[in-house]
């Protein structure tokens, strides 16, 4: 009487932590690999993950039906992963003869887009109508994701705000924008000029 042999492997993949927020964060993957068929399978058993490069399985010569083992791997987050919003990778297990179905796991980015602005003025004083105050705005990507241009500065007194043409701004990168303001008699009479500025971009 002939056996109806059904060799098979199953894989269940999990990830820790479930979110990431910084370049260099490490996602640790665990793969529960099971002999899901009806015959004993011979090793060595391996896991192939499309993003990881350090897959490792506990050494075992053979697995009886239903026997499980746990394999591991890790992946280091890049800026592209933060910008994308998530990382999904695919894994399968094999002993060289039998290969499991694939299993995927998605880990989500905690995206924090932000801009900061530091404003300076030259000169620091004025004494005549028509004097020109030149403003410089250091605009920095203070978040954890790449921002898209064009970038602009809005100043409540100036009308000639200008920023360099920039397609994108990586985290910690900055550009310098400029503007100017011409002193009026009212500014001299008031004793000072205070203006407010903000920067904007896209995400």
């Amino acid at each position: 009487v002939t056996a109806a042999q059904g060799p098979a492997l199953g894989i269940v993949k999990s990830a820790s932590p479930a979110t990431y927020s910084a370049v260099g964060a490490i996602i640790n993957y665990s793969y529960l690999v099971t002999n899901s068929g009806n015959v004993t399978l011979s090793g060595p058993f391996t896991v192939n993950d499309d993003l990881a490069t350090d897959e490792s399985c506990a050494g075992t010569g053979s697995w009886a039906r239903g026997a499980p083992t746990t394999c591991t791997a890790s992946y280091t987050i890049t800026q592209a992963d933060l910008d994308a919003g998530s990382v999904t990778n695919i894994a399968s297990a094999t002993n060289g003869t039998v290969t499991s179905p694939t299993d995927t796991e998605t880990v989500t980015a905690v995206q924090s887009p932000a801009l900061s602005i530091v404003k300076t003025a030259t000169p620091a004083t004025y004494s005549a109508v028509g004097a020109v105050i030149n403003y410089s705005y250091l605009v920095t990507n203070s978040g954890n994701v790449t921002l898209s241009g064009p970038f602009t500065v809005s100043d409540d007194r100036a009308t000639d705000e200008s920023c360099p043409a920039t397609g994108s701004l990586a985290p910690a990168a900055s550009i310098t924008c400029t503007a100017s303001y011409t002193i009026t008699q009212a500014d001299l009479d008031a004793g000072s000029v205070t203006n407010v500025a903000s920067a904007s971009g896209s995400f």
Side-chain angles (χ1 to χ4, degrees):
V1 179
T2 304
Q5 295 178 318
L9 283 171
I11 185 172
V12 177
K13 179 179 179 182
S14 58
S16 179
T19 62
Y20 58 91
S21 60
V23 171
I26 295 175
I27 308 299
N28 294 299
Y29 294 101
S30 177
Y31 314 85
L32 182 64
V33 180
T34 305
N35 180 347
S36 56
N38 64 358
V39 292
T40 299
L41 297 177
S42 299
F45 299 91
T46 59
V47 162
N48 297 312
D49 189 295
D50 68 338
L51 288 184
T53 59
D54 61 349
E55 301 95 320
S56 176
C57 293
T60 181
S62 62
W63 286 346
R65 177 178 180 274
T69 193
T70 299
C71 303
T72 59
S74 64
Y75 176 69
T76 302
I77 295 299
T78 66
Q79 185 61 55
D81 299 324
L82 272 168
D83 294 343
S86 65
V87 169
T88 299
N89 52 344
I90 305 169
S92 61
T94 186
N95 69 343
T97 303
V98 180
T99 299
S100 73
T102 59
D103 192 22
T104 63
E105 190 71 21
T106 298
V107 181
T108 304
V110 179
Q111 296 175 315
S112 302
L115 279 173
S116 65
I117 186 169
V118 176
K119 178 179 178 181
T120 57
T122 302
T125 62
Y126 59 91
S127 59
V129 172
V132 176
I133 308 298
N134 293 300
Y135 294 102
S136 177
Y137 313 86
L138 182 66
V139 178
T140 302
N141 181 347
S142 53
N144 67 351
V145 291
T146 301
L147 300 177
S148 300
F151 297 93
T152 60
V153 163
S154 297
D155 190 296
D156 66 341
R157 295 254 186 170
T159 58
D160 61 349
E161 301 96 320
S162 177
C163 292
T166 305
S168 63
L169 206 58
S174 61
I175 57 172
T176 299
C177 303
T178 59
S180 63
Y181 176 70
T182 302
I183 295 300
T184 67
Q185 185 61 54
D187 298 323
L188 275 167
D189 295 344
S192 65
V193 170
T194 299
N195 52 343
V196 183
S198 61
S200 64
S202 300
F203 169 64

